[in-house]
Amino acid sequence: MAKITWLSLAFCGWTVVASAQNMTDLAVMNDKSADRQVLNIGTNPPVADTVFLHPDRIRYDHRCFQIEGKDVFIFSGSFHYFRVPRPLWADRFRKLKAAGFNCVETYVPWNWHERNMPRSVRDDSQIDLGDLEAFLQMAEDFGLYVILRPGPYVCAEWSGGGFPQWLMRKKPEETAYKVWLQSDDPEFMRWNEHWYRAVCRVAAPYQLTEKPVGGKGIILFQVENEFNRVNWFPKEAKRGYLEQLAGIARKYGIEVPVITCWTDESRNVGEGVLNGVVDMVNSYPRWQVEKNFGRLVNLQMKTQPGKPLVSGELQGGWCCELGWPLSWDQDGLPPVQTQNLTLYALERGFGALNFYMVVGGTNFDDWAARQQITSYDYAAAIGEGGMTNERYRRFRGLSAFIREHGTRIARADLDYIPYTSTDTDVKLAVRTTPDGDRYFFIRTEERSRQHFGTIYTQGLALDFALEPFGAMVYYLPSGAGKGIWYPRLPEPQVRDMRPLPSVELKQEGVVEDPLPVEWTRLRDGETVDNDGISFTTVRQPTGAVYSKSDGLGRMS
């Protein structure tokens, strides 16, 4: 996730901090030339079946994904199994399904599954993927597709970006690039294969292509993550690195479409294993939906004209760092923003959306990335404690609309038609299907007041009533004199209050955590790679650098 994870890469006694805070999209979001919109991509030829290993089971064209020959709008939510205790998974899956999602997305953090250092790249004895297998089985049981993102770098506000801290002990003395991780160094690639081999062994049987027709399973497999932020080796070598990762995935049985996110090097590659890869759009626009998200969409449509619009991460909340307001108290994250953002994505023609996050969780122990708090509630629709909220209600209404109209909207053509509005803060766009049905998207980014008025266009007078920062869609079937407003939100739930039974806490035992007791002085130029990936250095007035290790490669 390209937000505020910090991956500290250590060499020569210094900490080099790579922040993923929108490093990929900031340049585009500030580029006014990106305002030149590409309205439609319907004139592009469909992708050849040769791109897909099983086109009869899953494929895509320039508008939609097709599963078993039928258009399917992928409506997905992020749920990190490693942030939710396993006994609670079924509850979260039940609520995800009840909200109308047909897909679930998760990262697979390497360091969570291989906590102890193996003897060699052929040694799988330290890998325990039981949690992943149980999660994939439960997703299948609940009838959900899966988007799987195994890194090797995952970001996710997770310790070390998912890299095991012992991995730096495997770094050769001489490397082609100063930064070893996420490079095409041969030794690093051997360890990537070590990880992918284990993941694919578990994941391959859960692919949609391995299930009976009508079944559910993994539909997309992502290699790497937010690779545009990597600038420590040449772009041509980066492409070769991605080809190796995709080749490894194929080698060990991954047959569903491969995807990337924020990775220019995989866009529209004409041949080889990257041919057919879709690079996804991730966006966290807060209040500036049309500027921040819209410019990314414009760029995607210009650089991937033959691919469907897919969002691997669309804002479903935000995380919290030390000293920040908690997620629900931050600006730009109310449930109305979710509705506005989703409808704008439909207006632009997306065929697949994954919201990050839909299920909140917890950063247990010390698994959070640097500066992250323990809570990963994220202001998600299904909160850290399992409670649902107004964002969840909005998703229920949006998902019902998408189930009925999502693929038809993606197949429709967009036009920014002439109109007159009695409220100049309210905008209009229309998507028209081949048979003449029209979807009028009416939205505003003005958030200080309610918006009532009329839009006059194409012989119609559309009376609207929008909440602050509101968005609605008026569906008018061909030849009909009256249409329907969407989304139609369910009534808020009202439940009886029930007193909770009293809880008595008793001490069952004490587990001591042996903390580090000594500081180790580092000589000038001395590397601390062997002590771990994520660490803190203290620079004294004398210029001396000290580090503190707990003996497990974790620095504090």
Side-chain angles (χ1 to χ4, degrees), residues 255-285:
E255 298 183 336
V256 295
V258 172
I259 56 175
T260 55
C261 74
W262 279 349
T263 301
D264 291 347
E265 291 80 13
S266 64
R267 292 191 173 210
N268 290 334
V269 178
E271 58 185 9
V273 69
L274 295 183
N275 183 23
V277 168
V278 178
D279 188 43
M280 301 185 297
V281 178
N282 295 358
S283 186
Y284 297 83

Coordinates of all heavy atoms in Angstrom, one line a residue, residues 255-285:
E255 N -1.7 -19.6 -12.8 CA -2.2 -19.6 -14.2 C -3.3 -18.5 -14.4 O -3.7 -18.3 -15.5 CB -2.8 -20.9 -14.5 CG -1.7 -22.0 -14.5 CD -2.3 -23.4 -14.9 OE1 -3.5 -23.6 -14.8 OE2 -1.5 -24.2 -15.4
V256 N -3.7 -17.8 -13.3 CA -4.6 -16.7 -13.4 C -3.9 -15.4 -13.9 O -2.6 -15.4 -13.9 CB -5.3 -16.4 -12.1 CG1 -6.2 -17.6 -11.7 CG2 -4.4 -16.1 -11.0
P257 N -4.6 -14.4 -14.3 CA -3.9 -13.2 -14.7 C -3.0 -12.6 -13.7 O -3.3 -12.6 -12.5 CB -5.0 -12.2 -15.1 CG -6.1 -13.1 -15.5 CD -6.0 -14.3 -14.6
V258 N -1.8 -12.1 -14.1 CA -0.8 -11.4 -13.2 C -1.1 -9.9 -13.3 O -1.4 -9.4 -14.4 CB 0.6 -11.8 -13.6 CG1 1.6 -10.9 -12.9 CG2 0.9 -13.3 -13.4
I259 N -1.0 -9.3 -12.1 CA -1.2 -7.8 -12.1 C 0.0 -7.2 -11.4 O 0.7 -7.9 -10.7 CB -2.5 -7.5 -11.3 CG1 -2.5 -8.1 -9.9 CG2 -3.7 -7.9 -12.1 CD1 -3.7 -7.7 -9.1
T260 N 0.1 -5.9 -11.5 CA 1.0 -5.1 -10.7 C 0.2 -3.8 -10.3 O -0.9 -3.6 -10.6 CB 2.2 -4.6 -11.5 OG1 1.7 -3.9 -12.7 CG2 3.1 -5.8 -11.9
C261 N 0.9 -3.0 -9.5 CA 0.3 -1.7 -9.1 C 1.4 -0.6 -9.0 O 2.4 -0.9 -8.5 CB -0.6 -1.8 -7.8 SG 0.4 -1.8 -6.3
W262 N 1.1 0.5 -9.6 CA 2.0 1.6 -9.7 C 3.4 1.1 -10.2 O 4.4 1.3 -9.5 CB 2.2 2.2 -8.3 CG 1.1 3.2 -8.0 CD1 0.2 3.7 -8.8 CD2 0.9 3.8 -6.7 NE1 -0.7 4.6 -8.2 CE2 -0.3 4.7 -6.9 CE3 1.4 3.7 -5.5 CZ2 -0.8 5.5 -5.8 CZ3 0.9 4.5 -4.4 CH2 -0.2 5.3 -4.6
T263 N 3.4 0.5 -11.3 CA 4.6 -0.1 -11.9 C 4.6 0.1 -13.4 O 4.1 -0.7 -14.2 CB 4.6 -1.6 -11.6 OG1 4.6 -1.8 -10.1 CG2 5.9 -2.3 -12.1
D264 N 5.2 1.2 -13.8 CA 5.2 1.6 -15.2 C 5.8 0.6 -16.1 O 5.4 0.4 -17.2 CB 5.9 2.9 -15.4 CG 5.2 4.1 -14.7 OD1 4.0 3.9 -14.4 OD2 5.8 5.2 -14.6
E265 N 6.8 -0.1 -15.6 CA 7.6 -1.0 -16.4 C 6.8 -2.2 -16.9 O 7.2 -2.9 -17.9 CB 8.8 -1.6 -15.7 CG 9.9 -0.5 -15.4 CD 9.6 0.4 -14.3 OE1 8.7 0.0 -13.5 OE2 10.3 1.4 -14.1
S266 N 5.6 -2.5 -16.3 CA 4.8 -3.6 -16.7 C 3.7 -3.2 -17.6 O 2.8 -4.0 -18.1 CB 4.2 -4.3 -15.5 OG 3.3 -3.5 -14.8
R267 N 3.6 -1.9 -18.0 CA 2.5 -1.4 -18.8 C 2.7 -1.7 -20.2 O 3.7 -1.3 -20.8 CB 2.3 0.1 -18.5 CG 1.8 0.4 -17.1 CD 1.4 1.9 -17.0 NE 0.8 2.1 -15.7 CZ -0.2 2.9 -15.4 NH1 -0.6 3.7 -16.4 NH2 -0.6 3.1 -14.2
N268 N 1.7 -2.4 -20.8 CA 1.6 -2.6 -22.3 C 2.9 -3.2 -22.8 O 3.4 -2.7 -23.8 CB 1.3 -1.3 -23.0 CG -0.2 -0.9 -22.7 OD1 -1.0 -1.7 -22.5 ND2 -0.4 0.4 -22.8
V269 N 3.4 -4.2 -22.2 CA 4.6 -4.9 -22.7 C 4.1 -5.8 -23.9 O 3.2 -6.6 -23.7 CB 5.3 -5.7 -21.6 CG1 6.4 -6.5 -22.2 CG2 5.7 -4.8 -20.5
G270 N 4.7 -5.7 -25.0 CA 4.2 -6.3 -26.2 C 4.4 -7.8 -26.3 O 3.7 -8.5 -27.0
E271 N 5.4 -8.3 -25.5 CA 5.7 -9.8 -25.6 C 6.3 -10.3 -24.3 O 6.7 -9.5 -23.4 CB 6.6 -10.1 -26.8 CG 8.0 -9.3 -26.6 CD 8.9 -9.5 -27.9 OE1 8.4 -10.1 -28.8 OE2 10.0 -9.1 -27.8
G272 N 6.3 -11.6 -24.2 CA 6.9 -12.2 -23.0 C 5.9 -12.3 -21.9 O 4.7 -12.1 -22.0
V273 N 6.5 -12.7 -20.7 CA 5.6 -13.0 -19.6 C 4.8 -11.8 -19.0 O 3.8 -12.0 -18.4 CB 6.4 -13.7 -18.4 CG1 7.4 -12.7 -17.8 CG2 5.6 -14.4 -17.4
L274 N 5.3 -10.6 -19.3 CA 4.6 -9.4 -18.8 C 3.5 -9.0 -19.8 O 2.7 -8.1 -19.5 CB 5.5 -8.3 -18.6 CG 6.6 -8.4 -17.5 CD1 7.4 -7.2 -17.3 CD2 5.9 -8.8 -16.2
N275 N 3.4 -9.6 -20.9 CA 2.4 -9.3 -21.9 C 1.0 -9.7 -21.3 O 0.8 -10.8 -20.9 CB 2.6 -10.1 -23.2 CG 1.6 -9.7 -24.2 OD1 1.0 -8.7 -24.2 ND2 1.4 -10.6 -25.2
G276 N 0.1 -8.7 -21.2 CA -1.2 -9.0 -20.6 C -1.3 -8.6 -19.2 O -2.4 -8.6 -18.6
V277 N -0.2 -8.2 -18.6 CA -0.3 -7.7 -17.2 C -1.0 -6.4 -17.1 O -0.8 -5.5 -17.9 CB 1.1 -7.5 -16.6 CG1 1.1 -6.8 -15.2 CG2 1.8 -8.9 -16.4
V278 N -1.9 -6.2 -16.2 CA -2.7 -5.0 -15.9 C -2.0 -4.3 -14.7 O -1.9 -4.9 -13.7 CB -4.1 -5.2 -15.6 CG1 -4.8 -3.9 -15.4 CG2 -4.8 -5.9 -16.8
D279 N -1.6 -3.0 -14.9 CA -1.0 -2.3 -13.8 C -2.2 -1.4 -13.2 O -2.8 -0.7 -13.9 CB 0.1 -1.3 -14.3 CG 0.8 -0.6 -13.2 OD1 1.1 -1.3 -12.2 OD2 1.0 0.6 -13.3
M280 N -2.4 -1.6 -11.9 CA -3.6 -1.1 -11.3 C -3.4 0.4 -10.8 O -2.3 0.8 -10.6 CB -4.0 -1.9 -10.1 CG -4.3 -3.4 -10.5 SD -4.9 -4.3 -9.0 CE -3.5 -4.2 -8.0
V281 N -4.5 1.1 -10.7 CA -4.5 2.5 -10.2 C -4.8 2.4 -8.7 O -5.8 1.8 -8.3 CB -5.5 3.3 -10.9 CG1 -5.6 4.7 -10.3 CG2 -5.3 3.4 -12.4
N282 N -4.0 3.0 -7.8 CA -4.2 3.1 -6.4 C -4.4 4.6 -6.1 O -3.7 5.4 -6.6 CB -3.1 2.6 -5.6 CG -2.9 1.1 -5.7 OD1 -3.6 0.4 -6.4 ND2 -1.9 0.6 -5.1
S283 N -5.4 4.9 -5.3 CA -5.6 6.3 -5.0 C -6.3 6.5 -3.6 O -7.2 5.8 -3.3 CB -6.5 6.9 -6.1 OG -6.6 8.3 -5.9
Y284 N -5.8 7.6 -3.0 CA -6.3 8.0 -1.7 C -6.5 9.5 -1.7 O -5.8 10.3 -1.2 CB -5.3 7.6 -0.5 CG -5.1 6.1 -0.4 CD1 -4.2 5.5 -1.3 CD2 -5.9 5.4 0.5 CE1 -4.1 4.1 -1.2 CE2 -5.7 4.0 0.6 CZ -4.8 3.4 -0.3 OH -4.7 2.0 -0.2
P285 N -7.6 10.0 -2.4 CA -7.7 11.4 -2.8 C -8.3 12.3 -1.7 O -8.3 13.5 -1.8 CB -8.6 11.3 -4.0 CG -9.5 10.2 -3.8 CD -8.6 9.1 -3.1

